[in-house]
Amino acid sequence: MIHLPVSTVSIILRRCTVVTECKQQQQILLWSHGWPRFQVKYLPVCIIFSSSSSSFSFFQGILVQEIDEGRPCLSCGDNCSGFRPHQWRKHCAICKCPRDVHDVTHKESVNVHDRLGLNKEGEEEHQHRHQHQQQQQYPQLPASSSRIDDFMTSWPKDKVPKRNSQGDRWREHQLAFQLPRQDLALAYCRYVEPQNHTSYQDFVAARNDIALDIAYVKETSTRAQCYGCEGNIPAGTFGVMAPKFGENVAWHPACFQCTTCAELLVDLTYCVHEEQLYCERHYAEQLKPRCSACDELIFSGEYTKAMSKDWHLGHFSCWQCDESLTGQRYVLRDEHPYCVKCYETVFANNCDDCNRVIGIDSKDLSYKDRHWHEACFLCNKCRLSLVDKQFGSKADKIFCGPCYDSMYATRCDGCGEIFRAGTKKMEYKSRQWHEKCFSCFVCKTPIGTKSFIPREQDIYCSGCYEEKFATRCVKCTKIITTGGVTYKNDPWHRECFTCTHCDKSLAGQRFTSKDEKPYCAECFGELFAKRCTACTKPITGIGGTRFISFEDRHWHNDCFQCASCNVTLVGKGFITDGADILCPECAKQRVL
């Protein structure tokens, strides 16, 4: 038989759903985190109330389970076998993800009067208003108004609680966050010790009396100042009124926020503390510490402070094994505390040399994906320590500089020396140099990252390469960069290839040469060509010009004519008469 307090049974009976008969289950599961929803699988059972102990008695045969148990994790997927509530944390005991990350049932959309446990009169007023809201598709309207849609436009779109919308889901989440059930009634608390029940009830009564209230909305008749942003609230617009601040204090609807979390106060439910607005959660935390694990307020005088958070004495525990860390060493990982043993088991690396765990008291030396104890970080050949020394790696083994060099180091193509461990290496194609050896073959200046020109087995800087190998003009001896001219296998600048006599450019022009020197046609004719006996002009021969020579006299083909009748004598017989040449007929006439 299981004995439970009256308050506990009343909560279970009010929130449970009875399902199919179970004749094999003999287990009772009750203390799930945060008093979630349950389902009861039962055999015929007798519930007996004892006035002396104020408790119900359950005969054996009842199975009480949380209805969200086994629900899939939306983050881990198949890696989590299903939600299983932790004994006291707000997380899944299997995958350690928060409860809300699982595909759990959300049933927070009750009216705020029920949640706060307000009087019947307030509840009836709310029910009347709620019927009107359902017609308008809003699950909760903070105050009565005939201009529901106008009021909702003053809120951010993603927080307007229209049914089945993002704002509706935001409201459900904020109801659970801003108004945690364990702050509202002792029946929902699991870790308030019996000797502190009175303190809890006094806290709740005082809070409900002097701090907790529900604001309302009204249309302002005159201009007012917002208590939050100190801006103007124009007349005829909506203002949020919080009675505990007085009748003349108002807020813009979007400014009615918790001072701590800066969230809109869900359903306009607020607390006042030192003339500031708070949601109930952060109001309570102004006065009482809250356990970071179970999310309940701490009324005991003894509790643990660690990681800038507060914890029940037994709740500050290892994230892995749940062993208490109070007074113990722990390691913080991803904002969660771990005992030394679990941290070393789950996260510590094994030494690549000795294969033992590198504990939190040992220095973990790593290279790529390998790890060593400081004392095990040794050269694989000579066994000297490599701590703070240069080393090389080959075939998953590490070596000190001298050992690596003697066994594996390559040599510089410049000086022939080896590349010691840690030395900077310059590479080009299949060759490699020390940084200082990677220099110009001529001037020996280190090239570094500057441009260079390779030639055969040597490399040159740009300046030396041009000096040594670039094409030069035979006339001015300067480098030809563009548009050169070649004459008799010699390179010339276009502007340098000119007539030897008159300096006229010969590039693209007719020219001839004399004694290996170029001349334009005019200068060559004037200086060196034979002259026609008839016209006295030079016979250059450029362009295939034909000429006739006889004895020491010369003629252009066109000028070789009979002196009397001017008939051409080219290819014909002719007779000389002094300086004249005559055709046979004219020669006969001149004789007669």
Side-chain angles (χ1 to χ4, degrees), residues 62-120:
I62 300 214
L63 174 65
V64 182
Q65 291 179 309
E66 183 181 349
I67 63 174
D68 292 329
E69 189 164 346
R71 300 297 295 173
C73 179
L74 302 179
S75 176
C76 300
D78 295 338
N79 293 328
C80 176
S81 59
F83 178 74
R84 189 176 77 194
H86 187 271
Q87 186 176 358
W88 64 78
R89 291 196 191 105
K90 303 168 290 184
H91 295 79
C92 173
I94 296 177
C95 67
K96 300 188 182 300
C97 290
R99 177 193 184 90
D100 291 345
V101 175
H102 294 74
D103 186 20
V104 296
T105 305
H106 293 282
K107 295 294 183 183
E108 299 294 344
S109 295
V110 300
N111 68 69
V112 72
H113 290 77
D114 282 347
R115 192 172 185 87
L116 298 177
L118 299 183
N119 58 38
K120 186 69 175 177

Side-chain angles (χ1 to χ4, degrees), residues 89 96 317-323 337-338 342-343 346-347:
R89 291 196 191 105
K96 300 188 182 300
S317 59
C318 173
W319 186 251
Q320 184 73 15
C321 68
D322 292 339
E323 288 294 323
Y338 292 84
C342 287
Y343 181 84
V346 178
F347 300 109

